[in-house]
Amino acid sequence: MAAHKFNRVTLLITHYNRSKSLEHLLKRCVEENLEFDEVIISDDGSRPEHLEYVNKLQSDYNFRLITTPVNKGLGNNINKGQDAVKTQYTLYVQEDFEPTPDFAPNFKNAIKLMDEEEWDLIRFYTFPWAPFPYLKDYKFGYAKMLFKPGLWHLNHLKFRLYSDHPHLRRSNFFEKFGRYVEGQRGDPTEYTMCMNFLIKGGKALLFNGPDLFLHEHGAIEPNTMVRSKWKLSNSLIIKMARSLYLKGKVINSTIKYNKLKQ
């Protein structure tokens, strides 16, 4: 099978204490014959045994490893990784994803759209239980992500044009949207970038077919980001409370968005 070469793209992978998952991702990229201008792994102060394993992986996979002596959080990890990118485009992936066989041909179309049009972000994955609510079919199986600011659109996911899930972006992303906030947990870090993306008029596409990446396929290692158990409960009372909570979240996010727009 011929290699799929993406010479103007750097694959940026963020990693923290999941070296086996990282190995699986790198292996799947090789199996799918994906070749990038460079692969950068940005490690967030992983435990010695994981960092040692990542270093050993360099004998089998060609990548540049960027480390930090202590854990500084998701924002710092993405910032230092993105700072190291030298190519026109960045494919950002966290270590617990893997590409599907359909990724390469659809990724070529994503690059074509980036080259010919003014998109800021093209996404390749969305949680099946939390799909983005407002889409409009566009080209090559991609859909425009539409932000509807009014309070009559009460789906809280409408603020999530940006996502930390696998996506293609221009490597000068920080120039338009700013750097990731540091010193916060993962979810607030992502939410702040979501708001920055909206305020700065970010334009995003989402692949509207089967996801082009799989998440935690086979559950190789435990997730390092643990969320509150009540958010995952199937209790009817909890579900009702969560629904009210999310509606309130839409109102709060709308107020914040309007203030930032002024």
Side-chain angles (χ1 to χ4, degrees):
M1 184 184 298
H4 304 287
K5 296 184 178 181
F6 304 107
N7 294 324
R8 293 177 294 137
V9 181
T10 293
L11 172 59
L12 172 60
I13 304 171
T14 48
H15 170 263
Y16 179 60
N17 286 340
R18 303 187 77 180
S19 51
K20 292 290 186 179
S21 297
L22 173 62
E23 180 181 31
H24 183 72
L25 167 56
L26 293 170
K27 180 181 178 182
R28 287 291 298 122
C29 286
V30 170
E31 290 172 348
E32 294 301 324
N33 293 289
L34 305 177
E35 294 184 6
F36 302 94
D37 191 83
E38 186 175 23
V39 177
I40 294 175
I41 295 173
S42 185
D43 180 79
D44 192 18
S46 291
R47 295 194 300 269
E49 63 270 24
H50 284 283
L51 198 54
E52 181 180 354
Y53 196 84
V54 173
N55 276 293
K56 288 180 180 178
L57 291 176
Q58 286 187 301
S59 62
D60 295 318
Y61 304 97
N62 183 25
F63 60 80
R64 179 155 54 112
L65 176 62
I66 301 173
T67 62
T68 183
V70 295
N71 177 266
K72 296 183 179 180
L74 178 65
N76 177 269
N77 204 22
I78 304 178
N79 284 339
K80 68 182 173 64
Q82 188 66 64
D83 287 343
V85 174
K86 301 175 182 177
T87 56
Q88 182 179 4
Y89 298 124
T90 299
L91 171 61
Y92 173 64
V93 183
Q94 294 177 335
E95 83 279 271
D96 53 352
F97 285 86
E98 64 172 277
T100 71
D102 292 329
F103 171 72
N106 288 291
F107 189 59
K108 290 177 182 177
N109 286 332
I111 294 174
K112 178 180 175 66
L113 288 166
M114 281 284 205
D115 282 342
E116 298 177 357
E117 303 176 15
E118 304 214 352
W119 300 102
D120 299 298
L121 198 76
I122 301 182
R123 293 173 48 181
F124 309 112
Y125 176 88
T126 184
F127 281 125
W129 58 88
F132 188 80
Y134 309 117
L135 298 173
K136 182 179 180 180
D137 287 342
Y138 190 57
K139 296 178 183 177
F140 308 131
Y142 289 93
K144 292 182 181 180
M145 303 181 74
L146 306 177
F147 174 61
K148 299 190 176 184
L151 282 176
W152 49 94
H153 298 290
L154 280 174
N155 191 311
H156 69 287
L157 296 172
K158 69 181 184 178
F159 293 95
R160 302 284 176 163
L161 268 71
Y162 170 83
S163 171
D164 289 343
H165 294 150
H167 64 258
L168 175 68
R169 64 189 183 206
R170 302 179 192 280
S171 296
N172 62 356
F173 187 83
F174 291 165
E175 294 178 13
K176 183 172 182 179
F177 302 106
R179 299 172 69 80
Y180 291 81
V181 64
E182 299 190 14
Q184 296 187 10
R185 292 180 297 104
D187 285 344
T189 298
E190 183 178 17
Y191 175 78
T192 300
M193 183 54 76
C194 288
M195 296 302 292
N196 290 347
F197 193 82
L198 290 175
I199 297 303
K200 298 294 184 179
K203 297 171 62 178
L205 295 173
L206 173 67
F207 189 70
N208 205 20
D211 288 326
L212 299 180
F213 275 83
L214 301 177
H215 183 232
E216 296 187 301
H217 191 54
I220 297 170
E221 291 169 301
N223 198 325
T224 55
M225 185 181 295
V226 179
R227 291 180 169 86
S228 302
K229 290 183 178 180
W230 73 269
K231 293 183 178 181
L232 307 175
S233 173
N234 289 320
S235 163
L236 179 60
I237 294 176
I238 295 297
K239 285 183 176 181
M240 292 174 64
R242 177 164 168 76
S243 178
L244 291 174
Y245 163 78
L246 292 176
K247 297 299 182 286
K249 192 173 182 180
V250 171
I251 294 172
N252 289 335
S253 293
T254 300
I255 292 171
K256 181 175 181 180
Y257 170 80
N258 289 334
K259 285 183 177 178
L260 291 172
K261 284 287 286 184
Q262 292 176 358

